[in-house]
Structures are given as structure tokens and as C-alpha cells.
Amino acid sequence: MHPRYEVVIGLEVHAQIISKSKLFSGSETSFGAEPNTHVSLVDAAMPGMLPVINKYCVEQAVKTGLGLKAEINLYSVFDRKNYFYPDLPKGYQITQFETPICTEGRLRIRLEDGDKWIGITRIHIEEDAGKSMHDIDPYYTLIDLNRAGVPLLEIVSEPDMKSPEEAYRYLTEIRKLVRYLEICDGNMEEGSLRCDANVSVMLKGSKEYGQKVEVKNMNSIRNVANALRYEVRRQIEALERGESIDQDTRSFDPVEGITHSMRSKEMEHDYRYFTEPDLPPLYITKEMIDEVQDAMPPLPDELFLKYVNELGLTEYDAGVLTGEKDIALFFEELITKTGDYKAAANWVMGPVKSYLN
């Protein structure tokens, strides 16, 4: 990093909810089916078709909010986000804009110089679009609507990350959390977990943020970090040459290791948000929140602190043991049989993990 500049990064994570049916229809959601075989009349936006909210997805959103120590809003509203894509049959996406289901959360990340809390601005429920495929036919773009209407949670962070490394740790912890909660399988290669990054640079000590750029199309956590490293370097070099930064949306090319401009960045007014007239407001009861809370599994951050502070394990051991939910739950069962926690940890991290590999 350049000694004269400060980096500001915020991430928007889209997690595909593990659900048997879509957000507003009864269509299946399984990955890898033949194109256009999981499409209902609702998904295809046939005239007169009305959406019906999937209650299970609402419960999963509440669970995610609890896992991120967020405020669960008892009243929220769905909105229409209008934009044209050939794989968005309605011509708009049903999402939440001004009144999301969760706000004001936080997530702890661990860095070499200590812990840091990253703020969560909002968590909202929305439907996914379909998929455009450009590499099958030499003349035409083909459309697969299997993904249209699949339920998503969008987790929007505060611009609290100051380096690509912090963004890497944050995204790693988000993926770990949604896997622990069984909200999402976290598979970025298949697109069930996707991340868009907003990044800017400014002179150190400045009170005004620099011009924000959005980076898309990153299919691994490593690629997110690599894209941000390149983009930070590109912006600093441009500013050093006396150039201005355009507010655009950029795509990351992992082969070349560079970003390139896709289009000028859309603004909120471009989407012409308005309240979804076909869905009533969403009311959540405190009893529902309590039920979800009672069914919550142990969370990775809580287990990490337990292993370090109560069991006397090293932070490295605690990090390895909490890296995967199945390993952590196995270790939880194991320590009910023995008080030699270090020996138990060594056995799990050594012979047990070697056997599983």
C-alpha cells in the first residue's frame, strides 16, 4: 500500500438460502438441473401470477441476523427494483430497500495485530435473476431461468475494511458463519455465495471518501483479495498521475489479474424503487425470533473464545477446530469424554483430519 493513501472497502455478500423451493413460488432450487426445468408460471412472470413469501426463508434471514448480532425488525416491506436484464422475466427484482429485515449487525475478524469488529449495515431478502450463457451458441445468448426466483440473503457491510487482507478475513468469516447456520453452502464456484466489493482510496487524514468503484465477478475468496489489491493499486496510480476516478462497475479477470470497466455505476434513482404492490408488509413476532434463537447451533466465534479462554488452547488450535462445523461439533462431543483438551485437539487436528482427507 502507498504510505500517503488510506483504503476504504465495503462488501456486499449474496448468500443463496438452502431451501427446497424458491422465494415466491413452489419451484425447486437444486443446482445442476437441465436448463429451464425448474420454472413455474410465477418465475416466468406470466400475466396474473402473484408471489407468495416462503416462510422458511424468512426464518433463515432471522437466524442470520441473530448470528451477526443484528437488530431484527418486526416490520419490513418488499420493494420492486426495476432494471432490464434478459434473464429477469418480470423486468424487476423483488427485494427490500428502505425497510430490510435486519439492520445494525457486526462481525468479528481476527488480524495479526488483534481483533476488529466489522459493522453490518443491513441484511435483506431478495430473489435471484436467471442466468445468461454466452459461450454455448456462437450467435445467440441462451437464457436459463432455473435460478430466477431462488432466495437470496444480501449482507451489506459498513465500509470498515482498510485493506484487501481485512476483506479476505471478513468474507472467510461470513462464509464460515452461513455454513455453521446451514443458511448457505458457501460455494462461490457454483455461485451460491457471491460477493461484490466497493473500494475507494483517499489521502490519509482526509475527511472525505474517495470515488467508490464496484468490482464484480469474483468466484473465490482469493480472487476477491486479488481483485481488491489490483484495484487499490490502479486507483492510487491514477491519482498520482493527477487523474480522477470514474464511478463505474468493473469486472475482475482472474487470468490477467486485472479489473476492467463494464458500465457506469447505477445510482439508487436509476432502479426506480417502489413498494411491491403484490406483497403485504412482513410482520415478525418476538415468539418467532425466540424459536429461531432456541434452535441456533453454537457459532464459530463463540466456540473460538471458549477454546482459548476456557480450555486453554492456542488461537491457532481454536482456529483449526472451528474452521469446519462438523469438526467443531465432533470436538465438542469429544471433550465431554476427557479433560485433556490439548491431547483431544491434537488427535482431532492430526489423525482424525488426516483420515478424513
Side-chain angles (χ1 to χ4, degrees):
M1 298 297 169
H2 197 286
R4 295 178 57 219
Y5 292 92
E6 184 176 339
V7 179
V8 180
I9 297 171
L11 298 185
E12 301 171 5
V13 176
H14 292 82
Q16 181 178 315
I17 299 173
I18 299 173
S19 170
K20 292 182 179 179
S21 57
K22 293 185 179 180
L23 186 56
F24 300 114
S25 79
S27 299
E28 290 185 44
T29 60
S30 56
F31 179 80
E34 287 293 313
N36 297 307
T37 56
H38 292 170
V39 186
S40 72
L41 297 177
V42 174
D43 308 325
M46 291 293 106
M49 296 297 103
L50 296 175
V52 178
I53 187 67
N54 184 331
K55 180 185 177 183
Y56 176 77
C57 296
V58 175
E59 294 170 344
Q60 296 299 80
V62 170
K63 188 193 294 184
T64 304
L66 293 172
L68 289 169
K69 299 175 174 55
E71 180 74 23
I72 312 299
N73 297 316
L74 301 183
Y75 169 88
S76 61
V77 172
F78 286 98
D79 300 280
R80 288 188 181 182
K81 180 181 181 181
N82 296 274
Y83 59 98
F84 174 76
Y85 279 114
D87 50 22
L88 191 66
K90 294 191 293 287
Y92 60 85
Q93 176 192 38
I94 300 178
T95 182
Q96 293 184 308
F97 179 49
E98 290 188 351
T99 53
I101 192 168
C102 306
T103 50
E104 298 182 4
R106 59 188 181 134
L107 178 71
R108 188 203 315 261
I109 62 173
R110 292 184 168 82
L111 306 168
E112 291 182 0
D113 56 352
D115 295 354
K116 178 176 181 177
W117 288 96
I118 305 298
I120 306 295
T121 308
R122 56 187 285 135
I123 305 167
H124 63 259
I125 314 171
E126 64 184 19
E127 61 179 344
D128 207 347
K131 185 176 181 181
S132 297
M133 292 173 286
H134 311 289
D135 56 354
I136 296 178
D137 189 282
Y139 303 106
Y140 298 100
T141 291
L142 305 185
I143 303 296
D144 179 10
L145 295 181
N146 281 348
R147 203 171 67 185
V150 164
L152 298 176
L153 282 180
E154 182 169 355
I155 304 167
V156 182
S157 83
E158 291 286 330
D160 289 344
M161 287 158 270
K162 303 302 181 184
S163 70
E165 288 66 34
E166 290 188 11
Y168 180 94
R169 297 290 180 91
Y170 170 83
L171 188 53
T172 299
E173 289 300 318
I174 285 285
R175 183 171 67 173
K176 187 190 300 183
L177 180 69
V178 296
R179 284 176 168 172
Y180 264 73
L181 295 175
E182 298 181 359
I183 302 292
C184 172
D185 64 18
N187 192 326
M188 294 188 73
E189 290 76 16
E190 293 181 358
S192 55
L193 188 73
R194 305 198 290 276
C195 177
D196 299 335
N198 294 298
V199 55
S200 65
V201 298
M202 61 183 181
L203 287 171
K204 285 187 176 179
S206 174
K207 295 183 179 179
E208 291 188 11
Y209 287 146
Q211 184 61 268
K212 180 175 64 176
V213 169
E214 184 178 32
V215 185
K216 291 179 173 288
N217 298 338
M218 300 167 289
N219 65 354
S220 73
I221 296 179
R222 181 177 288 105
N223 279 343
V224 171
N226 290 338
L228 288 172
R229 289 189 190 102
Y230 172 83
E231 187 58 28
V232 168
R233 187 169 64 251
R234 182 190 73 85
Q235 291 187 29
I236 290 176
E237 290 174 354
L239 293 174
E240 285 291 289
R241 292 192 298 267
E243 300 172 3
S244 60
I245 304 298
D246 294 327
Q247 184 176 4
D248 59 357
T249 298
R250 302 179 71 86
S251 177
F252 178 63
D253 182 339
V255 177
E256 298 291 331
I258 64 174
T259 65
H260 56 84
S261 182
M262 297 167 60
R263 58 183 180 271
S264 61
K265 172 65 178 172
E266 296 97 337
M267 307 297 287
E268 286 179 356
H269 64 262
D270 293 328
Y271 294 123
R272 306 187 316 284
Y273 285 100
F274 65 88
T275 301
E276 169 57 69
D278 292 334
L279 285 168
L282 181 62
Y283 291 94
I284 296 173
T285 64
K286 293 184 178 179
E287 289 75 19
M288 176 186 175
I289 296 174
D290 291 339
E291 289 176 7
V292 173
Q293 179 76 72
D294 292 341
M296 292 273 284
L299 299 179
D301 189 54
E302 296 168 359
L303 292 177
F304 182 96
L305 295 175
K306 171 184 173 181
Y307 296 164
V308 172
N309 297 331
E310 297 179 25
L311 305 190
L313 299 178
T314 66
E315 290 192 357
Y316 172 80
D317 290 351
V320 173
L321 291 170
T322 59
E324 298 175 47
K325 181 181 180 182
D326 289 344
I327 292 292
L329 294 182
F330 180 75
F331 183 71
E332 282 289 284
E333 180 68 19
L334 180 61
I335 59 178
T336 66
K337 316 295 183 185
T338 178
D340 194 340
Y341 306 127
K342 179 60 178 175
N346 289 342
W347 184 64
V348 171
M349 293 188 296
V352 172
K353 291 199 75 173
S354 295
Y355 174 79
L356 293 174
N357 287 338

